[in-house]
Amino acid sequence: ALCVERLYPNPLAVSGPMLLSMLTMCFGVALYCWDMQWAENWGGVVWVMLNSLFAVGDRLIQRYLLAKDQRPVDVSTTGVALLNNALSILPIAVAVFASGEFRELGPLCQKLSGRDVLWIVASCVVGCGISFTGIWVQRLIAATSFLVMINVSKFAIIFLEVYVIKNKNPLTVVQIVGVMVTILAGVWYGRARRDIEEQAAKGEQLPLVKNETSKC
C-alpha cells in the first residue's frame, strides 16, 4: 500500500521512523504467529492472504476516490456506505448458494428466539456504523495509515477475547510479546505520522519571500 500511495497525485510522505515502526509491526506479527499450530491452519493462511490482498486494494481505491487531496468523486459518505453494502450482496449470495447454506436458512430462522433477533438487528446496526465511520476515516488519512490502525486494533481485540471475554485459548509468552510489540509499534507509527504532518504544517507557514528592511 505504501509503494502504491507514493504514485498518487498527492503522495504519502515517508520518514525513517515511520518505516522502522512498520518493520517493527511486522516483527511483532511474526512473533505472534511463531507459536501457532501451522499444521492445522494452512488452509486458513491462504484465505487470510487472499483477504489481505483484497483489503489493501479496497483501501487504496477508497483513498484515491474519496480523499479531497487525491481524485475524489462526488459521492457522500452515506452514499459510499450504501454502495459498499449493496454491491457486496451479489458475491455473498453466490457464496451462500455455492456452499449450500441457503438450504439451512429456513430451519435456522424458525429456531430464532426474540433475543436472537435482537442480537442480529444490533449486529446490523453496529455493522452500518462501522461501515460509515470506516469510510469517513478513509477520507481523512492515508490507506497505509488506515491499514496500520486496523491491524493494531485487531491485536488489541485479541487481548480482549483472551483475557476479558475468554473465548480463545490462552496466549503463549512469545505471542503476548508479539501482541505488545505490534501495539507499541502502532503507537510509534502514529507519532511518526504526527511529526511528518507537523513539519509539513510548519513548512506551509514559512513566507515564500523573505522581507528585508532597506538600509538608509
Side-chain angles (χ1 to χ4, degrees), residues 52-213:
S52 300
L53 180 64
F54 281 110
V56 170
D58 176 64
R59 298 296 175 256
L60 288 171
I61 293 173
Q62 286 192 13
R63 175 63 180 174
Y64 184 78
L65 297 178
L66 297 180
K68 294 181 179 180
D69 57 346
Q70 303 297 342
R71 292 289 186 271
V73 294
D74 188 16
V75 182
S76 66
T77 302
T78 304
V80 176
L82 178 61
L83 288 173
N84 272 357
N85 289 279
L87 294 177
S88 63
I89 294 176
L90 180 60
I92 291 177
V94 173
V96 167
F97 278 100
S99 62
E101 292 184 9
F102 185 77
R103 293 189 297 270
E104 303 175 6
L105 184 61
L108 286 176
C109 290
Q110 294 177 358
K111 296 179 181 179
L112 292 177
S113 63
R115 184 177 181 181
D116 295 332
V117 174
L118 177 62
W119 283 115
I120 292 174
V121 173
S123 175
C124 293
V125 173
V126 173
C128 290
I130 292 175
S131 176
F132 182 88
T133 55
I135 295 169
W136 178 39
V137 172
Q138 187 66 84
R139 291 182 182 272
L140 304 177
I141 64 176
T144 303
S145 300
F146 193 90
L147 291 168
V148 169
M149 180 185 67
I150 290 177
N151 292 332
V152 172
S153 64
K154 285 181 178 179
F155 275 92
I157 291 172
I158 290 174
F159 258 126
L160 292 176
E161 289 183 338
V162 173
Y163 296 107
V164 179
I165 304 176
K166 297 183 179 179
N167 64 348
K168 285 185 175 291
N169 295 327
L171 301 179
T172 65
V173 175
V174 175
Q175 287 179 320
I176 293 175
V177 173
V179 171
M180 294 302 299
V181 168
T182 304
I183 293 176
L184 293 175
V187 176
W188 183 13
Y189 177 90
R191 292 182 63 88
R193 286 296 308 159
R194 186 188 64 182
D195 293 341
I196 293 175
E197 292 172 359
E198 289 179 352
Q199 291 177 1
K202 290 179 180 178
E204 292 177 356
Q205 293 175 359
L206 293 177
L208 297 177
V209 180
K210 185 177 180 180
N211 294 326
E212 295 183 357
T213 57

